[in-house]
């Protein structure tokens, strides 16, 4: 509305308004009239910041990247808790999978969450389980190693039902956060493509989509 009417909009720092109240009458009294006078006086003397209006793309990207930040924190938290769970229940799993968030490791935790589950299986059973969700599974050698380590594990053997439930919920949270992150990034990319100069900036070597979006958000907020 202000733009359509060619009215300049400025922002006055509330902290400075509070400090300048005492300068008018040497008291800490507060009223709407006094606030208006103080603000008008500060604007007259140039103690303000200009307000920049942006297009809907700027606002959409700001909201999406703020949302992305929240989802990433949830995802990192879920991953950290999965690492902690493995350290307590089946620490030897790290000898089979160096990265616990790789597809093979996560699938193993879904199919055979407890070492006691693996002890009942043969390498062929483990491979059949992997083949249902992975075309290129981890192989016979890893299946043998996985079962051998499960039989010798030093992990906790108590409260197995509770640990199993906890892992299921952690994996659900990991999957949900991953899915939400993918959707947010897709939406954000669509918005970025509508910004005229984004293509030229993204063409610069070393400038990724996430880097552009994060910097864009910081500039927008400044």
């Amino acid at each position: 509305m202000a733009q359509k009417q060619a009215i300049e909009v400025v922002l006055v720092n509330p902290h400075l308004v509070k400090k300048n109240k005492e300068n008018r009458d040497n008291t800490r009294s507060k009223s709407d009239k006094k606030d208006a006078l103080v603000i008008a006086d500060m604007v007259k003397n140039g103690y303000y910041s200009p307000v920049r209006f942006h297009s809907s793309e700027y606002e959409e990207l700001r909201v999406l990247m703020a949302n992305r930040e929240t989802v990433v924190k949830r995802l990192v938290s879920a991953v950290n808790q999965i690492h902690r769970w493995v350290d307590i229940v089946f620490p030897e799993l790290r000898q089979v999978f160096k990265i616990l968030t790789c597809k093979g490791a996560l699938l193993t935790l879904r199919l055979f969450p407890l070492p006691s589950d693996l002890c009942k299986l043969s390498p062929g059973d483990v491979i059949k389980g992997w083949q249902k969700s992975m075309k290129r599974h981890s192989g016979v050698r890893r299946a043998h190693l996985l079962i051998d380590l499960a039989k010798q594990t030093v992990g906790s053997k108590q409260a197995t039902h509770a640990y199993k439930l906890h892992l299921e919920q952690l994996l659900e949270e990991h999957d949900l956060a991953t899915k939400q992150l993918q959707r947010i990034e897709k939406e954000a990319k669509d918005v970025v493509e509508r910004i005229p100069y984004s293509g030229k900036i993204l063409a610069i070597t070393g400038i990724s989509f996430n880097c552009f979006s994060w910097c864009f958000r910081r500039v927008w907020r400044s």
Side-chain angles (χ1 to χ4, degrees):
M1 182 65 72
Q3 284 179 301
K4 292 180 181 179
Q5 296 181 4
I7 298 174
E8 183 181 1
V9 179
V10 297
L11 180 67
V12 178
N13 190 322
H15 181 65
L16 296 179
V17 172
K18 185 177 180 181
K19 283 189 171 183
N20 277 279
K21 281 181 183 178
E22 296 181 25
N23 295 335
R24 291 203 64 82
D25 53 15
N26 203 30
T27 68
R28 295 185 179 182
S29 63
K30 183 183 185 306
S31 68
D32 291 341
K33 288 184 178 180
K34 185 175 179 181
D35 283 346
L37 285 170
V38 172
I39 292 170
D41 190 53
M42 291 179 66
V43 172
K44 181 192 71 174
N45 293 321
Y47 301 128
Y48 61 82
S49 301
V51 176
R52 291 175 290 179
F53 294 95
H54 301 286
S55 64
S56 61
E57 287 82 8
Y58 288 70
E59 177 70 13
E60 284 185 63
L61 193 59
R62 183 185 70 83
V63 174
L64 287 168
M65 295 312 293
N67 190 13
R68 181 184 184 278
E69 196 171 299
T70 302
V71 173
V72 166
K73 286 180 181 178
R74 284 177 39 224
L75 180 59
V76 170
S77 176
V79 169
N80 289 339
Q81 289 183 73
I82 289 172
H83 277 263
R84 180 179 177 274
W85 188 95
V86 170
D87 289 339
I88 295 172
V89 180
F90 191 14
E92 294 81 5
L93 184 64
R94 296 179 185 277
Q95 297 180 39
V96 182
F97 300 102
K98 293 183 179 179
I99 302 174
L100 293 180
T101 53
C102 72
K103 190 173 181 180
L106 291 176
L107 181 60
T108 300
L109 289 172
R110 294 181 208 280
L111 298 173
F112 326 109
L114 300 173
S116 57
D117 296 330
L118 285 165
C119 292
K120 301 173 185 176
L121 303 175
S122 67
D125 295 329
V126 174
I127 291 173
K128 285 179 182 178
W130 285 340
Q131 286 177 335
K132 291 179 181 178
S133 300
M134 291 194 305
K135 292 182 179 179
R136 297 180 62 183
H137 56 78
S138 299
V140 178
R141 186 182 64 81
R142 280 194 176 182
H144 275 284
L145 178 61
L146 190 64
I147 294 172
D148 291 341
L149 291 172
K151 292 177 180 177
Q152 304 168 20
T153 183
V154 296
S156 176
K157 295 178 177 62
Q158 296 180 331
T160 54
H161 178 73
Y163 277 122
K164 190 173 183 179
L165 177 62
H166 186 205
L167 179 62
E168 287 176 4
Q169 293 177 335
L170 289 176
L171 292 172
E172 287 173 3
E173 174 65 13
H174 178 276
D175 293 344
L176 178 61
T178 300
K179 185 177 179 181
Q180 290 177 339
L181 184 61
Q182 291 171 347
R183 183 177 179 185
I184 290 169
E185 290 185 344
K186 180 181 181 303
E187 293 284 343
K189 285 180 180 178
D190 292 341
V191 174
V192 167
E193 288 175 359
R194 301 205 308 264
I195 298 174
Y197 56 83
S198 62
K200 294 181 179 179
I201 295 177
L202 291 172
I204 300 173
T205 303
I207 302 294
S208 65
F209 161 76
N210 288 332
C211 178
F212 171 81
S213 300
W214 184 84
C215 293
F216 191 88
R217 182 187 173 210
R218 300 296 297 183
V219 170
W220 195 95
R221 290 172 61 184
S222 63

